[in-house]
Amino acid sequence: MTEDIWGTKDVTSDKGKTDENFPVGSLLISRHLRPYVHTYYNFARVADDMVDTSELTPQQKIARLRGMAAVIRGELQAPQRADAQTAVKLRDVLIKTGVPLETATDLLEAFCMDAEKTRYESWQELLHYCRYSANPVGRFLLLLHAEGHETLAPSDALCSALQVINHLQDAAKDLQVLDRCYIPLPWLEEEDVTIDDLRLVRSKPGLRRVFDRMLDGVDALNREARGLPMLIRDRRMRLEAAVIVELSHILAKRLRRQDPVAERVALTKADGAKALLLAMRYWPTH
């Protein structure tokens, strides 16, 4: 039965924290909470690898992901294998800290979607995906710091913005490697372009307009997220959130100027320094 769920192959990749748009368990996080953040990240990375691998069928991927969720809920015992044990370790963290189990199981729902769903029909459908794929991450961090529920809505907006930004950054790669496209198909049709235009060396004008339309949605989310730092009581978490808010704005602006089909639009070390400098206005002086 265990083998039916987990299989025998560990498909964990060597992708790391540098692949993210935001600092993972950075030095801004309190030292005593940092290991919990790393545990959450390791769990998410393993689940991401499960769904992105070409070595498992969609049904096998979903079986493993459902197994991970069952371990988180305490319904199933995980085998003594590194990938499955990430769920055991995260369950222990969630129980110890009182952070809701849904911050992990909701994430797995998004990965289950990815196992079967490769196309999106609307912006609302994409945001529904973000509600599971990205928003739980922000909620985990805030609730780990015992922040109030008033922080959750702007956090959701920020996380959704970052997720859509990531979809834009990786639009060509996701199609080529995973046959996955998060761009709303009707928007492409309205501009007389197709997802196959993502395979070209640069964006057609119509595709560029679709990107900008998605960035309009990102800008609206970023505006909603702007007030998040002032709602956070823990000053280190407030600074962390402020940095991420600034990075989200920087990336959105850069994606307006650069072509994600022609090149990988990414953050630089200078962007990190700029974001930290801008975020310092949220750091109390007394």
Side-chain angles (χ1 to χ4, degrees), residues 114-185:
D114 279 335
E116 295 184 307
K117 187 175 179 63
T118 60
R119 302 291 185 268
Y120 284 77
E121 295 297 329
S122 68
W123 177 254
Q124 290 71 28
E125 200 173 74
L126 182 57
L127 289 184
H128 174 75
Y129 171 78
C130 294
R131 180 251 181 266
Y132 291 95
S133 68
N135 299 3
V137 179
R139 287 177 172 240
F140 170 81
L141 286 170
L142 291 168
L143 296 175
L144 180 66
H145 286 80
E147 296 296 336
H149 284 267
E150 68 276 5
T151 63
L152 298 184
S155 171
D156 288 348
L158 174 60
C159 292
S160 291
L162 286 166
Q163 180 70 88
V164 176
I165 285 171
N166 186 247
H167 291 329
L168 288 168
Q169 288 174 292
D170 293 340
K173 177 184 172 185
D174 283 344
L175 183 64
Q176 178 184 356
V177 177
L178 303 170
D179 188 34
R180 207 178 286 156
C181 181
Y182 297 95
I183 301 171
L185 296 183

Side-chain angles (χ1 to χ4, degrees), residues 2 5-7 15 58 62 93 102 113 116 141 143 155 163 167 182 184 186 204 218 220 228 239 261:
T2 298
I5 294 174
W6 299 101
K15 286 184 287 188
I62 290 173
V93 165
E102 287 77 14
M113 291 182 211
E116 295 184 307
L141 286 170
L143 296 175
S155 171
Q163 180 70 88
H167 291 329
Y182 297 95
K204 287 182 175 181
V218 168
L228 174 62
L239 187 58
V261 171

Side-chain angles (χ1 to χ4, degrees), residues 39-269:
T39 298
Y40 187 87
Y41 174 83
N42 289 336
F43 165 84
R45 176 53 59 205
V46 164
D48 189 40
D49 288 338
M50 284 181 182
V51 77
D52 282 353
T53 184
S54 59
E55 299 182 50
L56 301 174
T57 66
Q59 293 73 26
Q60 289 171 327
K61 294 175 182 180
I62 290 173
R64 286 197 188 193
L65 293 165
R66 297 291 187 212
M68 295 275 273
V71 171
I72 291 290
R73 291 192 295 266
E75 301 166 352
L76 183 70
Q77 187 172 358
Q80 292 298 318
R81 217 173 66 189
D83 55 354
Q85 285 297 309
T86 60
V88 176
K89 292 175 182 177
L90 182 56
R91 172 177 165 80
D92 289 343
V93 165
L94 297 175
I95 296 298
K96 179 179 180 180
T97 60
V99 175
L101 302 182
E102 287 77 14
T103 56
T105 56
D106 280 358
L107 204 59
L108 293 170
E109 282 300 314
F111 292 131
C112 286
M113 291 182 211
D114 279 335
E116 295 184 307
K117 187 175 179 63
T118 60
R119 302 291 185 268
Y120 284 77
E121 295 297 329
S122 68
W123 177 254
Q124 290 71 28
E125 200 173 74
L126 182 57
L127 289 184
H128 174 75
Y129 171 78
C130 294
R131 180 251 181 266
Y132 291 95
S133 68
N135 299 3
V137 179
R139 287 177 172 240
F140 170 81
L141 286 170
L142 291 168
L143 296 175
L144 180 66
H145 286 80
E147 296 296 336
H149 284 267
E150 68 276 5
T151 63
L152 298 184
S155 171
D156 288 348
L158 174 60
C159 292
S160 291
L162 286 166
Q163 180 70 88
V164 176
I165 285 171
N166 186 247
H167 291 329
L168 288 168
Q169 288 174 292
D170 293 340
K173 177 184 172 185
D174 283 344
L175 183 64
Q176 178 184 356
V177 177
L178 303 170
D179 188 34
R180 207 178 286 156
C181 181
Y182 297 95
I183 301 171
L185 296 183
W187 291 11
L188 294 171
E189 293 171 9
E190 289 171 22
E191 296 293 347
D192 198 27
V193 291
T194 71
I195 59 172
D196 285 328
D197 289 315
L198 291 167
R199 305 182 195 276
L200 302 178
V201 295
R202 64 180 61 86
S203 293
K204 287 182 175 181
L207 186 57
R208 178 69 256 180
R209 288 192 291 273
V210 172
F211 289 161
D212 287 341
R213 187 174 177 181
M214 293 180 73
L215 287 168
D216 289 343
V218 168
D219 289 346
L221 291 167
N222 274 338
R223 285 193 294 272
E224 186 177 349
R226 178 59 83 182
L228 174 62
M230 292 305 298
L231 298 173
I232 297 175
R233 296 185 297 268
D234 183 278
R235 63 178 187 170
R236 295 177 71 101
M237 186 62 221
R238 185 190 314 147
L239 187 58
E240 173 92 347
V243 167
I244 297 173
V245 166
E246 296 300 339
L247 291 176
S248 185
H249 280 78
I250 288 169
L251 266 173
K253 290 177 182 177
R254 182 159 298 154
L255 281 162
R256 294 274 188 185
R257 301 192 305 268
Q258 295 176 229
D259 183 0
V261 171
E263 61 182 326
R264 181 62 159 75
V265 180
L267 293 167
T268 65
K269 289 183 179 179

